[in-house]
Amino acid sequence: IISTMRAALLIQRWYRQYVARLEMRRRCTWNIFQSIEYAGEQDQIKLYNFFGYLMDHFTPASSERNLISHIFRENNICRNVDWERYFCYKSIEVPKLYSGPHLSFPITCSNAAELVEAFKNKQQLHSRYVLQLLGETWRLLRILPNISQISTCHSKEITICGDLHGHLEDLLLVFYKNGLPSSEKPYVFNGDFVDRGKDSLEILLILFSFLLVYPNDVHLNRGNHEDHIVNLRYGFTKEVLGKYRLHGKKILKLLQKIFSWLPLATVIDNKVLVLHGGISDTTDLHLISRVDRHKRQNRSGITDSDLEDDDPTTKPVDSSRRRVHSLTHSSSTGTRHEVQRRSLQGLNNRVTCSVEEELKERRRQAGLSQSYGDLRNSLANSDSDPDSGELLESYGDEWKQIVDMLWSDPMPQDGCVPNEVRGGGCYWGPDVTEEVLRRHNLTLLIRSHECKQEGYEFCHNRRVLTIFSASNYYEVGSNRGAYIRMGPDLVPHFIQYQANRATRALTLRQSVGRTERSALRALREKLFAHKSELISSFQEYDPENTGLISLGHWACAMEAVLRLGLPWRVLRTQLVGDTLDGMLDYHLWFRELLSNASLLETMYKHHSNLETIFRIIDTDNSGLISFEEFRQTWKLLSSHLQTEISDEAISDLAVSIDFNKDGSIDINEFMEAFRLVGGDLLQNEGDPH
């Protein structure tokens, strides 16, 4: 008996250690995925802050500025006065051979249920119905308040869902488990319906159809991905154009309008606040309720009113009235303020400088990370209209409120600091939560925006609750999805799930191993993208050029270059093979690590930025840009990458890659051009080994 007990204790101890090691691997894998995701969002915001900076500060004579003005003006084609004419669906015929779902308007609950069933069976809704459904949604959203007020007294429970990100199977599973939306079963969907997943449009159409049927019982909050600029990078734009080649452009422009009208938050029983991202130390729900939300829609920092009121090709730019803002939480310092003030005052004195010199100087003096507060102070102190400071102050306060709601994340420490990880919004602490909830007489904040392994997570003394409804977000088996049921007692109850059936058959070890391999693959791509910078950093620890560094120096260099906040010493066993007396041959390590890589370093590093830039330049979504747009794009991109490329080289390149000689460049030709130039840059870089 004693031997049996000892054996049982040994087995129990071994199993606990085994599970603990798996859990450590799972957490490390999670950190990799999340760090890479947030780094991508940071790159996205830096890129569009750069576009916004160019739009705000380049002279009217600059061809690059006219290009950027053209980009964002084109996106504003859908104004209210000519909306009916531009988006008219009546001329679109539904062919007799069409076998998908048919909609009648006003839409009914049976129509909405049929739409769910059709999308479950992989059917596609005809573009006529899509445009008609979106048009009706736009009309309804325009009359909704910024903050929806709902009550549990009219129903037993309210269901709250977090990010879906194009995962239709998750939405269908929620409906299967919980029931379809109705007056007896109200829902709150807390933003980020689109991007990343492959069925974003279907999710929107389902949610919009139920919103039209039950406008008092279905509530949609806007997320940071309900933004046409963000959609260019993260897949939704490409998805719509792929599914609706003929009418995709109109659908996208109408969705752009719809996104700008989505409500910003929901309050349940005057006690529970539901919004997508979070809050800051300046969050004011009374101010948010009065914001003209549809004008605050552009991640690049350019609003509808900017485009409607100003034509940079016909009248000069009044920089004092130009609305400038950043996505970061304002945190100005005296020294930085002086740099910004001198930078902007000196701009008009150098209008004769070349575009290249101006870009170089602006980057050196101002950088790409200037905060809204710095620029606001600079413009307020310049020789401008005395009323402009108040206008800018008011606009900036409104803009900051919305950015904080869409982009912010909680942190365990007290305080409120810029969210440098995402590049937008802020990190706020428990003290901020307590103050904001006290000020508005609230008891709980429910938000989404962050993937959680179990689908939900409490923080800040259980006063903040994160809910995330897209299961298998990073990889199959990476996380569960969840939704909340909340009754009149306002106590949240959680229902967890995993939509992919394959994950249910995996053991814990298999699930962790599969996710870990995917995360390490993504991390290796990140290493490949920064190969040159990593080697330079390694060489700083190798002054004698031996090609060898210690593993400690390897870990320090990895973090210094990649800034992912990962436990590199823990990851060393998966990323580093054999060493010589604890010393790493970093050139050999790169060759072994990236032996199967087939894409150029520069292509990997800037692929997402490049494709995003192309889709911004291609304002009509035709897939083509002119030679002149190509040239101007390269001038902007070369500045963004701090790479010098001559006009002659760009012109020769444009002609040479126009393979079909039609006088324009498609996206494949554009990517090929970058690959060729990237290859030349790499060849000139040299390798000591």
Side-chain angles (χ1 to χ4, degrees):
I1 295 175
I2 295 176
S3 299
T4 302
M5 291 180 63
R6 286 178 177 173
L9 289 173
L10 287 173
I11 292 173
Q12 186 182 60
R13 184 184 305 169
W14 170 85
Y15 182 74
R16 286 175 177 172
Q17 292 175 346
Y18 169 76
V19 172
R21 286 194 298 269
L22 284 179
E23 179 61 20
M24 185 177 69
R25 287 171 57 191
R26 189 172 80 135
R27 291 185 181 183
C28 189
T29 297
W30 187 264
N31 287 340
I32 294 173
F33 276 128
Q34 200 163 62
S35 296
I36 292 175
E37 177 191 6
Y38 291 170
E41 290 186 347
Q42 192 177 79
D43 288 344
Q44 168 82 0
I45 291 171
K46 285 179 180 178
L47 183 62
Y48 290 110
N49 279 348
F50 181 50
F51 277 131
Y53 181 78
L54 292 174
M55 182 70 181
D56 287 316
H57 301 300
F58 263 63
T59 62
S62 166
S63 59
E64 278 75 11
R65 190 190 191 290
N66 291 338
L67 171 67
I68 297 173
S69 174
H70 157 71
I71 291 168
F72 294 106
R73 180 177 305 282
E74 186 69 21
N75 279 335
N76 193 48
I77 190 171
C78 44
R79 298 179 187 174
N80 298 348
V81 291
D82 59 359
W83 180 87
E84 292 286 355
R85 177 180 57 80
Y86 185 78
F87 295 108
C88 183
Y89 58 87
K90 295 179 181 178
S91 61
I92 302 174
E93 295 289 337
V94 179
K96 294 181 179 180
L97 296 178
Y98 169 70
S99 59
H102 291 266
L103 299 182
S104 59
F105 291 86
I107 196 166
T108 64
C109 58
S110 60
N111 286 147
E114 289 168 6
L115 201 57
V116 172
E117 195 64 26
F119 290 155
K120 181 180 179 180
N121 295 322
K122 310 299 182 184
Q123 292 181 312
Q124 183 169 307
L125 185 65
H126 195 273
S127 56
R128 175 191 172 101
Y129 297 132
V130 172
L131 286 170
Q132 192 171 3
L133 177 60
L134 295 181
E136 294 299 321
T137 302
W138 178 74
R139 291 188 182 92
L140 172 60
L141 289 174
R142 292 180 66 200
I143 65 174
L144 296 183
N146 292 346
I147 301 177
S148 304
Q149 301 283 342
I150 59 177
S151 173
T152 57
C153 67
H154 299 299
S155 64
K156 294 181 179 180
E157 290 182 322
I158 292 174
T159 302
I160 305 164
C161 295
D163 295 29
L164 288 166
H165 277 302
H167 289 211
L168 179 61
E169 62 273 19
D170 287 304
L171 179 62
L172 296 177
L173 186 56
V174 170
F175 286 164
Y176 174 78
K177 286 176 170 287
N178 196 62
L180 296 176
S182 67
S183 55
E184 292 77 31
K185 196 169 290 289
Y187 276 80
V188 176
F189 294 94
N190 200 25
D192 277 12
F193 318 117
V194 303
D195 281 332
R196 303 190 188 278
K198 66 182 189 305
D199 297 313
S200 298
L201 184 58
E202 285 76 8
I203 287 177
L204 285 179
L205 295 175
I206 288 173
L207 297 184
F208 291 162
S209 64
F210 281 110
L211 174 66
L212 291 172
V213 178
Y214 304 107
N216 297 317
D217 304 292
V218 174
H219 306 273
L220 308 181
N221 291 340
R222 183 177 182 176
N224 63 305
H225 278 262
E226 276 68 68
D227 185 307
H228 69 283
I229 298 294
V230 177
N231 300 154
L232 289 166
R233 183 185 186 111
Y234 290 103
F236 182 52
T237 298
K238 187 185 296 186
E239 175 193 329
V240 173
L241 293 175
K243 291 177 178 177
Y244 293 93
R245 297 183 182 277
L246 185 58
H247 299 287
K249 301 172 191 176
K250 290 184 178 181
I251 291 172
L252 283 171
K253 291 186 183 299
L254 187 47
L255 282 169
Q256 172 186 337
K257 204 77 168 175
I258 286 173
F259 287 167
S260 71
W261 278 103
L262 284 170
L264 300 172
T266 301
V267 175
I268 303 173
D269 288 349
N270 296 315
K271 290 295 181 181
V272 178
L273 174 63
V274 185
L275 49 75
H276 179 72
I279 56 176
S280 74
D281 53 357
T282 61
T283 295
D284 183 350
L285 297 185
H286 303 295
L287 174 60
I288 292 168
S289 66
R290 300 192 303 269
V291 167
D292 196 358
R293 68 181 184 269
H294 78 285
K295 291 186 178 180
R296 315 291 187 250
Q297 64 171 332
N298 203 322
R299 280 288 75 78
S300 65
I302 301 162
T303 69
D304 279 351
S305 55
D306 284 330
L307 300 175
E308 291 174 6
D309 297 339
D310 297 337
D311 185 347
T313 62
T314 59
K315 61 182 180 181
V317 178
D318 181 356
S319 62
S320 68
R321 292 188 179 276
R322 177 63 60 188
R323 298 182 174 99
V324 185
H325 32 70
S326 165
L327 296 180
T328 54
H329 182 75
S330 178
S331 181
S332 305
T333 63
T335 302
R336 197 172 181 185
H337 163 73
E338 290 299 319
V339 171
Q340 295 289 357
R341 183 174 61 82
R342 290 195 299 269
S343 172
L344 295 179
Q345 284 181 341
L347 183 62
N348 293 328
N349 297 330
R350 287 190 292 274
V351 294
T352 58
C353 292
S354 67
V355 171
E356 292 85 349
E357 291 172 344
E358 185 126 327
L359 273 169
K360 187 175 181 180
E361 184 69 4
R362 295 285 66 73
R363 287 185 61 93
R364 184 184 70 79
Q365 292 187 355
L368 296 181
S369 60
Q370 69 267 29
S371 70
Y372 166 78
D374 298 327
L375 289 174
R376 180 188 64 193
N377 293 336
S378 302
L379 292 175
N381 290 334
S382 63
D383 296 331
S384 59
D385 184 347
D387 294 332
S388 65
E390 293 184 13
L391 291 173
L392 203 54
E393 180 83 30
S394 173
Y395 181 84
D397 289 344
E398 294 177 357
W399 171 249
K400 180 186 176 303
Q401 294 278 332
I402 294 179
V403 169
D404 288 341
M405 293 179 71
L406 299 181
W407 285 88
S408 296
D409 295 304
M411 66 177 181
Q413 303 85 6
D414 283 346
C416 189
V417 298
N419 192 330
E420 301 293 352
V421 176
R422 288 190 189 267
C426 69
Y427 278 117
W428 86 94
D431 59 328
V432 175
T433 294
E434 291 294 332
E435 172 58 25
V436 172
L437 294 183
R438 183 199 61 78
R439 192 190 314 148
H440 296 93
N441 195 27
L442 300 168
T443 59
L444 178 66
L445 167 62
I446 298 178
R447 43 92 63 176
S448 300
H449 195 44
E450 287 183 285
C451 182
K452 299 298 179 182
Q453 287 186 340
E454 297 302 321
Y456 72 94
E457 183 178 276
F458 277 106
C459 65
H460 293 184
N461 301 314
R462 299 180 71 87
R463 303 297 299 277
V464 173
L465 170 58
T466 298
I467 187 72
F468 196 87
S469 299
S471 66
N472 308 299
Y473 178 63
Y474 293 121
E475 174 60 75
V476 174
S478 64
N479 67 285
R480 295 180 180 181
Y483 60 91
I484 299 169
R485 285 178 181 158
M486 180 174 285
D489 59 1
L490 300 182
V491 175
H493 302 277
F494 307 100
I495 294 85
Q496 298 168 288
Y497 54 85
Q498 213 148 16
N500 193 301
R501 293 182 180 179
T503 60
R504 302 168 200 166
L506 295 177
T507 65
L508 178 61
R509 181 178 181 181
Q510 290 172 329
S511 177
V512 171
R514 180 173 182 170
T515 308
E516 185 180 58
R517 287 191 295 273
S518 178
L520 290 173
R521 184 168 58 249
L523 183 57
R524 289 188 182 99
E525 291 178 1
K526 195 78 175 176
L527 298 180
F528 185 43
H530 294 271
K531 176 183 175 183
S532 299
E533 297 159 81
L534 284 169
I535 288 180
S536 296
S537 186
F538 293 154
Q539 288 172 341
E540 292 180 8
Y541 294 106
D542 181 25
E544 297 180 5
N545 200 27
T546 64
L548 301 174
I549 57 172
S550 69
L551 293 175
H553 287 158
W554 171 85
C556 291
M558 295 286 280
E559 181 57 30
V561 171
L562 298 176
R563 299 185 180 278
L564 294 176
L566 294 175
W568 295 107
R569 296 178 188 273
V570 176
L571 290 169
R572 188 193 68 193
T573 55
Q574 283 113 329
L575 296 175
V576 177
D578 297 331
T579 59
L580 182 63
D581 297 328
M583 302 296 286
L584 173 68
D585 184 332
Y586 51 89
H587 291 295
L588 176 61
W589 173 68
F590 256 115
R591 286 195 291 270
E592 292 176 348
L593 184 68
L594 308 171
S595 58
N596 295 323
S598 60
L599 295 179
L600 289 170
E601 175 182 357
T602 309
M603 193 65 176
Y604 256 121
K605 186 173 183 179
H606 300 295
H607 180 280
S608 295
N609 281 349
L610 187 69
E611 185 172 349
T612 303
I613 289 173
F614 181 93
R615 295 193 182 282
I616 291 176
I617 303 300
D618 177 24
T619 54
D620 63 353
N621 297 308
S622 65
L624 300 172
I625 58 176
S626 68
F627 280 5
E628 178 59 19
E629 289 172 334
F630 178 79
R631 187 194 70 79
Q632 294 174 5
T633 301
W634 266 104
K635 301 304 292 185
L636 293 176
L637 185 62
S638 63
S639 170
H640 183 65
L641 305 181
Q642 295 179 298
T643 303
E644 295 297 328
I645 304 174
S646 69
D647 285 347
E648 183 179 0
I650 295 174
S651 298
D652 291 343
L653 184 61
V655 173
S656 66
I657 67 169
D658 181 19
F659 300 124
N660 57 8
K661 305 304 177 186
D662 62 351
S664 59
I665 298 170
D666 63 31
I667 190 167
N668 293 323
E669 294 170 333
F670 187 70
M671 303 297 274
E672 176 68 6
F674 192 72
R675 187 188 69 80
L676 291 173
V677 174
D680 291 340
L681 292 174
L682 285 176
Q683 289 174 6
N684 294 333
E685 184 182 89
D687 189 332
H689 289 253

